[in-house]
Amino acid sequence: MVPRSFSGVLTTVEGMISKIIDDLSLHQPLRRIQQPEDYEKIEGVLSALKGYLEGNGNFTLILDDPSGNSYISRIDEDDSALTVMEYTRNAQDEAALGG
């Protein structure tokens, strides 16, 4: 199964986190009633994500884009917090992209 993506979006890391928060929060009221265990787990994730937006804690963002259409800009030339790894697509990636 191909993971859902943010196709055609120009955003920041903060924007991505905010979108994830919005998506995860969408069905929380119903989930609280129907799936209380899942609700609690997701609340923990939401709390952590909101903390990251406030600058609390560290996290690693891995952007895996077999299509090669994504780009993350460095803060400056000495941005040691950003690591870029390029790779050759495997057969599964090619199939997912229609190749």
Side-chain angles (χ1 to χ4, degrees):
M1 183 172 155
V2 177
R4 190 174 144 233
S5 66
F6 295 113
S7 62
V9 173
L10 178 63
T11 189
T12 61
V13 172
E14 291 85 354
M16 287 178 66
I17 293 172
S18 294
K19 174 72 171 137
I20 293 167
I21 290 170
D22 291 346
D23 287 354
L24 285 175
S25 298
L26 185 62
H27 297 291
Q28 277 297 82
L30 183 60
R31 199 175 287 122
R32 183 177 195 172
I33 296 164
Q34 294 181 342
Q35 300 166 306
E37 289 180 19
D38 291 342
Y39 168 84
E40 290 299 329
K41 291 176 187 176
I42 292 171
E43 281 299 303
V45 171
L46 290 169
S47 177
L49 291 170
K50 290 173 185 175
Y52 297 147
L53 285 180
E54 295 169 0
N56 301 322
N58 296 315
F59 65 96
T60 299
L61 172 67
I62 298 174
L63 180 64
D64 183 3
D65 178 16
S67 69
N69 292 327
S70 296
Y71 178 77
I72 296 179
S73 179
R74 294 184 181 280
I75 294 172
D76 57 43
E77 287 185 28
D78 298 324
D79 185 0
S80 63
L82 177 63
T83 301
V84 177
M85 297 173 56
E86 295 186 10
Y87 61 92
T88 303
R89 284 181 268 211
N90 61 31
Q92 185 178 5
D93 293 335
E94 289 289 349
L97 293 169

